[in-house]
Amino acid sequence: MHHKILASYHVMTYGDINFYGKVGFSVVSEEIIQAPHNLSYPKGWLAKPVLDDEILPITGKPSCLKPLDNPALW
């Protein structure tokens, strides 16, 4: 019996979709992937799938790099 483990890998960023959209990022809802902080510009929460063609939901709240872990930046 074979079991398939589903994993979802994404690269996330918070920025201008007009820029990041050129390299494959899409706007993602916080219902799919939560942001590490409250967003002042929700349409700037962007994801790019790494292994799949679709953005799959993840459970829990992701963290970010320490220099960006400041609510004032979000």
Side-chain angles (χ1 to χ4, degrees), residues 2-71:
H2 296 285
H3 296 281
K4 184 176 182 181
I5 298 173
L6 297 177
S8 182
Y9 298 96
H10 306 88
V11 176
M12 304 297 300
T13 191
Y14 184 51
D16 184 349
I17 186 59
N18 295 313
F19 174 79
Y20 288 103
K22 295 176 185 178
V23 292
F25 283 85
S26 301
V27 175
V28 65
S29 164
E30 283 197 86
E31 293 173 356
I32 303 296
I33 302 174
Q34 293 181 26
H37 296 286
N38 292 330
L39 301 175
S40 60
Y41 180 63
K43 291 185 179 180
W45 187 228
L46 310 169
K48 180 177 181 179
V50 176
L51 300 176
D52 298 311
D53 290 334
E54 69 178 299
I55 299 168
L56 302 173
I58 63 169
T59 304
K61 191 174 235 183
S63 60
C64 60
L65 298 171
K66 189 170 178 99
L68 302 175
D69 197 15
N70 178 347

